[in-house]
């Protein structure tokens, strides 16, 4: 898997279109703790997405997190890497931006 290739930035409702693909997803954690290997993210479009980590977390995640991972047949995401985005993020505004991205496919590929 080439981690240097662009990963489409998607929201929850787009996940079924990307089964088998590596994507980037931002969401609000529904609570996490050190040792967790699976958790739920709520995306900006209010979808619940299950994310699976290859290894249990060493530390709790922040409230908002970006995951890069492969979408499975059940529309869950197997995380390849993640970035904590902190506890203060406007997920609604982020979702509005997500609605605009298809207008700029050269800058933000969704294919």
């Amino acid at each position: 898997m080439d981690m240097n290739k662009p990963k489409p930035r998607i929201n929850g409702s787009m996940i079924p279109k990307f089964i088998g693909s590596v994507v980037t997803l931002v969401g609000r954690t529904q609570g996490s703790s050190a040792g967790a290997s699976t958790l739920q993210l709520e995306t900006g479009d209010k979808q619940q997405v299950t994310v699976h980590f290859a290894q249990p977390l060493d530390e709790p995640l922040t409230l908002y997190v970006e995951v890069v991972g492969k979408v499975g047949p059940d529309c869950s995401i197997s995380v390849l890497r993640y970035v904590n985005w902190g506890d203060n993020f406007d997920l609604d505004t982020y979702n509005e931006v997500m609605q605009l991205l298809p207008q700029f496919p050269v800058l933000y590929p969704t294919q």
Side-chain angles (χ1 to χ4, degrees), residues 27-32 39-42 61-65:
R28 182 178 194 268
T29 62
Q30 302 297 305
S32 73
L39 61 87
Q40 293 289 316
L41 286 183
E42 180 179 342
L61 297 175
T62 58
L63 188 58
Y64 297 97
V65 65

Side-chain angles (χ1 to χ4, degrees), residues 48-62:
Q48 299 295 318
V49 179
T50 301
V51 295
H52 305 283
F53 295 88
Q55 300 291 323
L57 295 170
D58 292 334
E59 60 188 8
L61 297 175
T62 58

Side-chain angles (χ1 to χ4, degrees), residues 1-78:
M1 195 168 310
D2 185 358
M3 291 302 289
N4 293 321
K5 289 176 65 177
K7 317 304 176 289
R9 188 167 290 277
I10 66 170
N11 61 22
S13 63
M14 297 168 72
I15 288 177
K17 299 175 187 172
F18 289 91
I19 291 174
S21 300
V22 176
V23 299
T24 302
L25 181 77
V26 174
R28 182 178 194 268
T29 62
Q30 302 297 305
S32 73
S33 60
S37 59
T38 299
L39 61 87
Q40 293 289 316
L41 286 183
E42 180 179 342
T43 61
D45 60 346
K46 309 300 185 221
Q47 301 293 310
Q48 299 295 318
V49 179
T50 301
V51 295
H52 305 283
F53 295 88
Q55 300 291 323
L57 295 170
D58 292 334
E59 60 188 8
L61 297 175
T62 58
L63 188 58
Y64 297 97
V65 65
E66 175 185 85
V67 296
V68 175
K70 188 171 184 177
V71 179
D74 61 353
C75 292
S76 67
I77 296 181
S78 295

Side-chain angles (χ1 to χ4, degrees), residues 43-46 64 89-98:
T43 61
D45 60 346
K46 309 300 185 221
Y64 297 97
F89 181 72
D90 189 340
L91 198 55
D92 292 326
T93 300
Y94 180 82
N95 189 57
E96 290 178 25
V97 171
M98 291 298 302

